[in-house]
Each structure stands twice: as structure tokens, then as C-alpha cells.
Amino acid sequence: MKRNRKLILATTVFLTFTALAAWSQKHFVFRPQWKAQAQFAGYYVAQDKGFYKDEGISVDIVHPSATQSALSRVEDDNIDATTLQLCQAMKIVDNGVPLINILQTSMNNALVIVSRRGKNPLEQKGERVGIWRADFGELATFMCQKEGLGYEWVYYASEMNLFIRGAIDAIVAMSYNEYYQLLQTGIYLTEDQVYRFCDHGYNIQEDGVYMRRDTYERNKEQAVRFARASKKGWEWAAAHPDETLEIVMKYVNLNHVATNRTLQKLMLDEVLRLQTDRESGKREFSLRPDMVRLASSLMLENHALKREVTYEQLVRE
């Protein structure tokens, strides 16, 4: 009888640890690079529609503070995956942290410079230009140097007040976010006042989902399932934009983000447009080797990298 009790106890302990191990393997923590908004609609859809659950994984979507750096997200052992712009990911790899891209959502660059003075931004040499304190606008600094513009950079977190009040002459912005915020204030902008990087030889992909390579190696199956369900979420969002907007607003409200429905609709439409590759006309959800080469070349030229970062370093084998 005593032997049977010991056997039952040992079996119970073994099954308990096995169950806990299985649960922990299926639990996946994902941290987008910014506060809750339509930029991340596909992940909200995948959560809300049960696509992650269908893949057998439990996903936590945890948004960072507005000032949390990309490197700190990557180095956080409590996070499985995060979103990064391609140039950000390449800098982190260059600094010795191997990363792997498990899903690419952006196929086109969203960066713009908007003039406050009714000018072409390329005619505003030496003027005061707002740029994020977070490292999202690196291409702008490359362009400024290449064109000899000598901008005086004025750093901001996320607010548009400096531009609205005329304290700066232009601002670096995203076509899906700050650009529409400015239009909502009643500021009239012509296309001549908006420099779109994607139209001037800087069409480098932006948002993708990245993991540290060691984290990926420990959680390959979960990573593949997360990427597959997230892609399905984005495809569903493109096919059902109205319902997707409702889901986005639910997450915006849950996270107490100060925004409005009109802005989020404009953002969703623009993010989905940017996901379509200009050449193929399709949502490809993958890194393009030519864009990685272009990014690496520009960054090396501007001393943002110490060595070339290749496409092969960033993709799954």
C-alpha cells in the first residue's frame, strides 16, 4: 500500500510538472512598439477572433510606455516577440543581439516630413525640424545629411503641439499617424509640403515581428503558430475593415489611449495600404532581400552600422 501511494504521488507530481511545462510553452508574450492603435490591428483581430487559440497558444499583447526603447524590449526576458522597424532590427543585430524576423507586415515606408511653412521640406535648410525621441526616424537623419539640409533637430515624444503652435518649421511623421493628427487640427497641407520617403529612394520596409534568436530556438513551434495566426489576423482585417475598426477601438479603450474613431479609421486604411507590395500588388508578409540590402547600404554610408547586416541574418533557416 505504501509503495502504491509513493507511485501515485510520483505520478501526480510528474503529470503536474508536465502540464505546467506544456502551458508555459504555449504562453506567448507579444509587445508591439507603441501604444494601442490601428497600427497593430491584425494582432487584435487574431486575439479577438480566436486565431491564436485555434493555433493552441495563449497570447498576451502588452503595450510598452511611449519612451521604452527597442533594445530594452528585445532584452526583456519576459517578452517573446516585439515589433521593430527593419532599420531598428539591423542596428540591434549590429550591436551583437541576434534577431530573427518571424513575420513582416510592412512592405512600404511610411515616413514623411511635413512643412509648417508652406514649403517643400528640401527647401528648409537649417530650419527646426521635430523628430521623435524614440528611434523611429533614422532615415530622416540620413536624408538630411545626404541633401546637406543641416536641420536643427528638435526632439519630441508623441505630441504635435510644437508643430501646431509654429515653434518648429517642419516635423518628421508617419503617414498613418501624425500626418492625420495634423489634418484633424484643421491645418491645410498640400502635397508639396509633404516629403514622402518611399517616393525618393528610401522605400525601406518598416514593421515586422522579431524575436531574439535564442528565444526563437527555445520556442520555434510557438513562434510559427503566432506568426501564422497573426498573418491570418491581418488578412481578415483587410477583408473586414469595418469590423476590424470596432475591435481596434475596444483595445484603444481598454488601454485608455486618447484618440478618436476617425483617426483610427484613417490609420487602419493607410496601414493596410502600406502592406501591399508596390511591385507584386500583394500582401507578401515577408522581408525583401533588396530592401535589406538598401537599408544596410544606407546605414553603412551614414555610420549607423559597423558592418553589413544581411538578409540571411534576419530570416528563419
Side-chain angles (χ1 to χ4, degrees):
M1 182 65 72
K2 186 180 289 187
R3 183 181 175 186
N4 287 341
R5 286 178 181 171
K6 287 183 178 179
L7 181 59
I8 292 171
L9 179 60
T11 302
T12 302
V13 171
F14 173 78
L15 291 174
T16 300
F17 276 112
T18 301
L20 287 171
W23 180 87
S24 86
Q25 286 180 341
K26 294 179 181 178
H27 198 66
F28 197 93
V29 180
F30 169 61
R31 176 160 287 180
Q33 78 252 46
W34 199 245
K35 57 192 177 182
Q37 57 185 22
Q39 181 182 0
F40 312 113
Y43 311 110
Y44 305 150
V45 167
Q47 186 81 294
D48 200 74
K49 291 296 177 182
F51 299 157
Y52 293 131
K53 185 178 180 181
D54 292 345
E55 287 285 352
I57 55 173
S58 174
V59 174
D60 283 345
I61 301 176
V62 184
H63 290 274
S65 67
T67 56
Q68 185 177 23
S69 71
L71 183 59
S72 69
R73 295 198 309 275
V74 168
E75 290 179 333
D76 190 337
D77 289 334
N78 297 314
I79 297 172
D80 291 293
T82 188
T83 51
L84 297 168
Q85 293 187 4
L86 175 57
C87 289
Q88 289 179 306
M90 294 173 76
K91 282 187 73 172
I92 291 171
V93 169
D94 186 50
N95 285 329
V97 182
L99 294 178
I100 187 166
N101 177 297
I102 64 169
L103 180 70
Q104 182 66 32
T105 56
S106 160
M107 297 304 293
N108 299 284
N109 197 276
L111 201 67
V112 297
I113 297 181
V114 181
S115 171
R116 184 70 173 83
R117 309 302 179 203
K119 300 179 182 178
N120 181 326
L122 295 185
E123 297 173 356
Q124 295 186 265
K125 291 187 177 182
E127 296 193 358
R128 291 163 57 83
V129 179
I131 191 169
W132 300 283
R133 197 172 299 280
D135 52 350
F136 296 144
E138 197 163 41
L139 280 181
T141 64
F142 298 166
M143 186 276 287
C144 176
Q145 185 170 330
K146 181 178 179 181
E147 300 292 337
L149 297 174
Y151 289 153
E152 178 187 344
W153 296 112
V154 178
Y155 294 94
Y156 73 97
S158 60
E159 68 284 343
M160 298 285 100
N161 289 340
L162 290 174
F163 186 95
I164 293 167
R165 295 177 180 178
I168 53 178
D169 304 297
I171 195 166
V172 178
M174 290 297 183
S175 66
Y176 55 78
N177 192 0
E178 293 87 2
Y179 172 74
Y180 286 126
Q181 288 184 45
L182 294 176
L183 293 182
Q184 282 198 325
T185 67
I187 293 175
Y188 177 74
L189 298 172
T190 67
E191 273 302 304
D192 289 340
Q193 292 173 250
V194 183
Y195 179 94
R196 298 180 185 274
F197 284 75
C198 61
D199 295 334
H200 297 277
Y202 297 96
N203 194 26
I204 293 172
Q205 290 171 291
E206 293 180 328
D207 289 3
V209 180
Y210 290 84
M211 299 177 67
R212 283 191 346 203
R213 190 167 284 272
D214 57 346
T215 304
Y216 172 76
E217 293 295 337
R218 292 194 303 269
N219 301 282
K220 279 187 181 181
E221 184 60 31
Q222 288 71 40
V224 170
R225 293 182 182 197
F226 175 81
R228 189 161 54 215
S230 298
K231 178 183 175 183
K232 186 177 179 180
W234 279 112
E235 290 172 335
W236 194 96
H240 306 86
D242 292 339
E243 191 172 346
T244 297
L245 181 60
E246 298 297 334
I247 294 171
V248 167
M249 294 310 297
K250 182 173 77 173
Y251 279 82
V252 162
N253 293 330
L254 283 172
N255 286 272
H256 308 291
V257 176
T259 185
N260 60 76
R261 187 184 183 85
T262 300
L263 176 61
Q264 294 306 312
K265 183 184 186 311
L266 291 167
M267 183 184 296
L268 177 62
D269 291 346
E270 178 69 353
V271 167
L272 291 172
R273 185 187 72 81
L274 292 166
Q275 288 182 353
T276 302
D277 185 82
R278 287 184 169 192
E279 295 179 14
S280 70
K282 299 177 181 178
R283 286 187 172 82
E284 299 186 356
F285 295 102
S286 60
L287 277 176
R288 281 182 44 168
D290 60 324
M291 290 197 187
V292 175
R293 287 193 296 271
L294 174 59
S296 189
S297 175
L298 283 170
M299 294 175 79
L300 282 168
E301 182 182 334
N302 288 275
H303 310 291
L305 294 178
K306 298 183 289 294
R307 61 187 68 82
E308 181 183 11
V309 176
T310 66
Y311 171 79
E312 290 72 21
Q313 288 176 268
L314 296 172
V315 296
R316 289 179 278 174
E317 297 174 357

